[in-house]
Amino acid sequence: AQKVTQAQTEISVVEKEDVTLDCVYETRDTTYYLFWYKQPPSGELVFLIRRNSFDEQNEISGRYSWNFQKSTSSFNFTITASQVVDSAVYFCALSEEETSGSRLTFGEGTQLTVNP
Amino acid sequence: EAQVTQNPRYLITVTGKKLTVTCSQNMNHEYMSWYRQDPGLGLRQIYYSMNVEVTDKGDVPEGYKVSRKEKRNFPLILESPSPNQTSLYFCASSSPRGNTEAFFGQGTRLTVV
């Protein structure tokens, strides 16, 4: 069975600090997909990134970067120079090849608060 | 605009009164799902559908029903709601390929008193 763990329930930082959100996953599949979603205070779920298990390249998009390490089953998310607008709940999620897009397993979520 | 539309956005109801939350997508996606979000638990899948007339249980299906008579619609039915079904519900749709993201509706906040 697949499982995603986000051990950090809440993180509070001051604006302009860098912050890393941790995500650890478990799966028996060799092919799987990892995702990050953002849930701002308004409540909707915003897709941020997907990564497949064969692509271990780290990715950077503006102030956001993701570090995928199969050796430690982790897919961590770093926000550089955080801003108040980054305040949200962030979810890491996993889907396996067998169930593909039909089943996403989510972590518990990390509430990030960026204070001015 | 590609979107998943849920209705209603907010609902307060009483225990035992049947209700339906509608979900519609305009992306011609085969896959649709329902999730519930509870504090500290993240999102958990209730039911999913891989195509018309094909539905299956997710991780927390007790107390819920679904149907998929048309590709675009996937309603969630609570035949006899109970207070432990108070939650934030999300409908999602996606293509069959595992490497594509799921698109989520805006959520339905349900309170059962």
Side-chain angles (χ1 to χ4, degrees):
Chain A
Q2 56 195 43
K3 184 179 179 182
V4 176
T5 302
Q6 295 178 255
Q8 304 152 307
T9 305
E10 296 181 20
I11 299 175
S12 182
V13 299
V14 177
E15 209 168 17
K16 297 184 183 174
E17 281 186 30
D18 298 347
V19 57
T20 295
L21 309 182
D22 297 334
C23 172
V24 175
Y25 62 90
E26 295 176 28
T27 177
R28 281 180 279 196
D29 271 18
T30 55
T31 301
Y32 52 89
Y33 308 92
L34 296 163
F35 304 83
W36 276 95
Y37 283 86
K38 174 182 179 180
Q39 185 177 45
S42 50
E44 73 272 23
L45 287 163
V46 179
F47 165 75
L48 295 178
I49 190 172
R50 66 175 169 270
R51 175 67 72 224
N52 74 49
S53 53
F54 296 114
D55 182 1
E56 287 195 71
Q57 273 194 327
N58 292 330
E59 180 152 341
I60 298 175
S61 176
R63 297 184 295 107
Y64 295 172
S65 62
W66 290 269
N67 182 4
F68 175 34
Q69 291 198 339
K70 285 180 74 171
S71 60
T72 55
S73 297
S74 64
F75 186 43
N76 297 336
F77 173 30
T78 297
I79 301 175
T80 303
S82 59
Q83 300 177 0
V84 173
V85 293
D86 295 326
S87 295
V89 180
Y90 290 86
F91 291 101
C92 181
L94 164 75
S95 73
E96 294 175 332
E97 177 68 23
E98 183 180 334
T99 53
S100 62
S102 66
R103 290 178 64 84
L104 278 171
T105 296
F106 284 83
E108 303 88 341
T110 296
Q111 170 73 61
L112 173 65
T113 302
V114 181
N115 299 296
Chain B
E1 179 190 355
Q3 58 185 7
V4 178
T5 303
Q6 290 177 232
N7 279 297
R9 293 288 312 280
Y10 302 91
L11 179 60
I12 300 175
T13 190
V14 296
T15 298
K17 184 176 181 182
K18 180 180 178 180
L19 67 91
T20 299
V21 184
T22 63
C23 175
S24 180
Q25 52 99 359
N26 63 0
M27 293 166 279
N28 202 37
H29 283 158
E30 286 84 355
Y31 289 3
M32 296 187 75
S33 299
W34 277 102
Y35 295 84
R36 61 179 287 173
Q37 180 182 351
D38 301 291
L41 297 176
L43 281 81
R44 295 175 293 167
Q45 194 179 54
I46 302 170
Y47 268 94
Y48 64 98
S49 169
M50 298 174 81
N51 216 323
V52 175
E53 302 293 1
V54 180
T55 63
D56 209 345
K57 296 177 181 178
D59 299 314
V60 287
E62 294 75 23
Y64 304 95
K65 284 176 58 177
V66 294
S67 69
R68 187 96 181 270
K69 293 183 169 49
E70 305 166 279
K71 196 173 187 179
R72 62 182 290 123
N73 295 324
F74 191 44
L76 179 69
I77 303 157
L78 285 72
E79 294 269 3
S80 182
S82 62
N84 65 11
Q85 293 178 297
T86 292
S87 189
L88 178 59
Y89 291 86
F90 286 98
C91 178
S93 75
S94 60
S95 78
R97 293 177 296 144
N99 64 344
T100 59
E101 71 271 23
F103 292 79
F104 286 85
Q106 291 185 290
T108 295
R109 188 165 292 282
L110 172 66
T111 301
V112 184
V113 299

